[in-house]
Amino acid sequence: MPQPSSARLHEFRIVSNDKIAQDIFSLVIEAPQLAKTIKPGQFMNFEVPGNAMSLLRIPLSFARADADAGTVEIWYAVVGDGTERLSRMKPGDTSTVLGPGGKGWGVPAECSRALLVGGGIGVPPLVPLAAELARAGIPFDVCLGAKTASELVGESELDALGAQTLSVATDDGTEGHCGFVTDLAAELLQQGGYDYVATCGPGVMMQKVAEAALAAGAYCEASLERMMSCGFGACSTCNVETTEGMKGACMCGPVFDASKVVVW
Ligand SMILES: Cc1cc2nc3c(=O)[nH]c(=O)nc-3n(C[C@H](O)[C@H](O)[C@H](O)COP(=O)(O)OP(=O)(O)OC[C@H]3O[C@@H](n4cnc5c(N)ncnc54)[C@H](O)[C@@H]3O)c2cc1C
Ligand code: FES
């Protein structure tokens, strides 16, 4: 059964909204209560003003939250009308955000070494997870992938959080291994030593990571992306087919036990 939603409506003010990679922006919002309560892997639903025809909020993960400063940082890719409007918002602009939503990462209590695997704009939710692992003194390695070097995010932030190793793959070879990030992850998992794997990115990437984790005997969690219309369990647009039936990503996820996901 999904837990009751912890989400509530917060007003926010934009502190900064800057381009950090090709078509990718870092948005810092001031929302003190949200900054205090949001947990790694949870998401928020943003109202982006500027289109009276668009009623839906935009679900976005967070990359960093600073409870003292009262700020939350989001990294988002401009892919359509809503994110394009968001990219035009300026410091000082205000709107509302519903959050924190969903179930985040669940690092097992006995975890002794973790592997984080991110692809494209799936990297943001892995950053607060890395911070949590660092605080708990759990060593972790990171594999990051992108189509091309200019679309890569999170490398310096995850390095600064103390990744033991950080390897990069790009489809076109402009940085790191030329090929898929799943090649790097599979190689590390074959070497053994991991009991927890966390992944976020394209479905096909997460499925391959999950298979390699299963073969290596490591518990794997994946943060799934689905269309989300309401964000609080009322519409079923976010359903994920699992071995235990359909589960809504907005309430039972977005983080799922990867071994139970049927349709990625
Ligand atoms: C839990 C969750 C966390 C997310 N976190 C991030 C994040 O941290 N950074 C980030 O850049 N994006 C994230 N996304 C994806 C983001 O919500 C979509 O890119 C955004 O809603 C697109 O809105 P739009 O109006 O710009 O695009 P639209 O014009 O609505 O659509 C443009 C394209 O994006 C696809 N799309 C739209 N909404 C979604 C969605 N919810 N999931 C998958 N594809 C979608 C459409 O099918 C279409 O191909 C997340 C999605 C979910 C469900
Ligand atoms: S988005 Fe409506 S039920 Fe999940």
Side-chain angles (χ1 to χ4, degrees), residues 25-169:
F25 286 70
S26 158
L27 170 73
V28 178
I29 60 167
E30 195 176 80
Q33 195 57 27
L34 189 61
K36 268 192 209 129
T37 50
I38 196 159
K39 303 257 175 9
Q42 288 190 300
F43 70 97
M44 298 149 286
N45 244 337
F46 281 81
E47 181 192 5
V48 183
N51 180 354
M53 300 301 288
S54 174
L55 300 175
L56 299 183
R57 289 173 175 269
I58 295 184
L60 293 169
S61 309
F62 76 102
R64 292 191 272 216
D66 184 332
D68 294 333
T71 55
V72 182
E73 181 175 352
I74 298 101
W75 299 343
Y76 66 95
V78 175
V79 295
D81 174 63
T83 44
E84 202 275 326
R85 276 183 282 121
L86 185 59
S87 73
R88 283 191 269 115
M89 291 183 77
K90 299 270 179 292
D93 286 354
T94 57
S95 187
T96 67
V97 60
L98 194 62
K103 184 182 96 32
W105 305 105
V107 181
E110 67 281 9
C111 177
S112 62
R113 189 176 189 95
L115 176 63
L116 313 189
V117 187
I121 198 62
V123 173
L126 297 174
V127 177
L129 172 62
E132 183 180 313
L133 292 167
R135 274 194 301 274
I138 299 169
F140 62 94
D141 298 288
V142 174
C143 298
L144 297 181
K147 283 198 194 116
T148 188
S150 59
E151 294 181 9
L152 200 61
V153 291
E155 200 177 348
S156 56
E157 290 82 359
L158 288 157
D159 194 35
L161 284 167
Q164 306 270 301
T165 65
L166 193 154
S167 34
V168 168

Side-chain angles (χ1 to χ4, degrees), residues 121-231:
I121 198 62
V123 173
L126 297 174
V127 177
L129 172 62
E132 183 180 313
L133 292 167
R135 274 194 301 274
I138 299 169
F140 62 94
D141 298 288
V142 174
C143 298
L144 297 181
K147 283 198 194 116
T148 188
S150 59
E151 294 181 9
L152 200 61
V153 291
E155 200 177 348
S156 56
E157 290 82 359
L158 288 157
D159 194 35
L161 284 167
Q164 306 270 301
T165 65
L166 193 154
S167 34
V168 168
T170 48
D171 296 2
D172 62 2
T174 43
E175 187 172 335
H177 167 72
C178 179
F180 295 133
V181 69
T182 45
D183 303 338
L184 303 175
E187 209 175 299
L188 286 176
L189 284 163
Q190 269 163 20
Q191 289 168 18
Y194 298 102
D195 39 28
Y196 177 61
V197 179
T199 184
C200 186
V204 62
M205 180 208 93
M206 292 193 285
Q207 184 173 9
K208 287 204 163 143
V209 172
E211 285 164 5
L214 189 69
Y219 173 62
C220 179
E221 288 189 316
S223 179
L224 267 62
E225 224 187 85
R226 287 292 185 273
M227 299 299 291
M228 286 187 181
S229 297
C230 72

